[in-house]
Amino acid sequence: MHELSIATALFDQVRRHTPAGARVLRARVLIGPMQGIEPESLKFGWQAVWSESGSEAPELVLDLPGWKLNCRDCGREWESPELYAQCTCGSATAEAVGGAELQLISIDVTDTAEQGGGEDQ
C-alpha cells in the first residue's frame, strides 16, 4: 500500500512546516489521477501515522481533479473523469496533459496557547 508511505511523507512535511506551539487543524493535498491513489486508503494511513505519533489526526482534505485532456486533432483542452474520452469534435485522439501532481497545498493551524483559538494559514 503506497498510500501509507505517502501519508508518512505528508505527515513529515506538515510537521516540518507547522509553527512551534501550533496545532494542525487540516491539511489540503492536491493529487492528480496519475498517482493512482485510493483516497480512503490514504485517509486511513493518515489516521494511522498521526495516531502513532500520539497526536490527533487533523482533517485531510483531498483535491482530486479529473484528467486534463488535449485533442490532437482540434487542440481543445478539457477535464474528464475518464482517461479515454472522446472530444466534442468526434476525435478519439485525446492525450493526457499533466495529472502527476502530488502536492501539499496548505495547512491550517491554531495557536494552542490561545483560548478559543483563531485560525492562521
Side-chain angles (χ1 to χ4, degrees):
M1 169 167 107
H2 77 286
E3 286 85 350
L4 183 57
S5 63
I6 291 170
T8 301
L10 288 170
F11 169 83
D12 292 341
Q13 193 172 19
V14 166
R15 288 292 218 188
R16 205 172 30 253
H17 294 289
T18 300
R23 183 173 62 89
V24 180
L25 300 173
R26 88 187 46 80
R28 180 175 300 277
V29 180
L30 172 67
I31 302 172
M34 276 188 189
Q35 291 296 330
I37 292 175
E38 174 57 46
E40 292 308 311
S41 295
L42 180 58
K43 288 180 179 183
F44 179 82
W46 178 257
Q47 293 290 330
V49 170
W50 281 87
S51 177
E52 189 174 294
S53 76
S55 299
E56 183 180 340
E59 178 185 9
L60 180 62
V61 179
L62 303 178
D63 292 337
L64 303 166
W67 291 95
K68 292 180 182 135
L69 301 173
N70 179 277
C71 179
R72 292 181 190 166
D73 291 338
C74 73
R76 176 178 171 254
E77 289 191 4
W78 76 99
E79 190 171 301
S80 171
E82 302 296 324
L83 176 57
Y84 300 106
Q86 187 170 354
C87 181
T88 55
C89 76
S91 175
T93 62
E95 64 184 347
V97 179
E101 304 86 1
L102 179 56
Q103 181 178 14
L104 176 63
I105 299 296
S106 66
I107 55 175
D108 296 335
V109 300
T110 186
D111 186 345
T112 56
E114 291 180 17
Q115 297 298 324
E119 285 189 32
D120 294 323
Q121 184 162 300

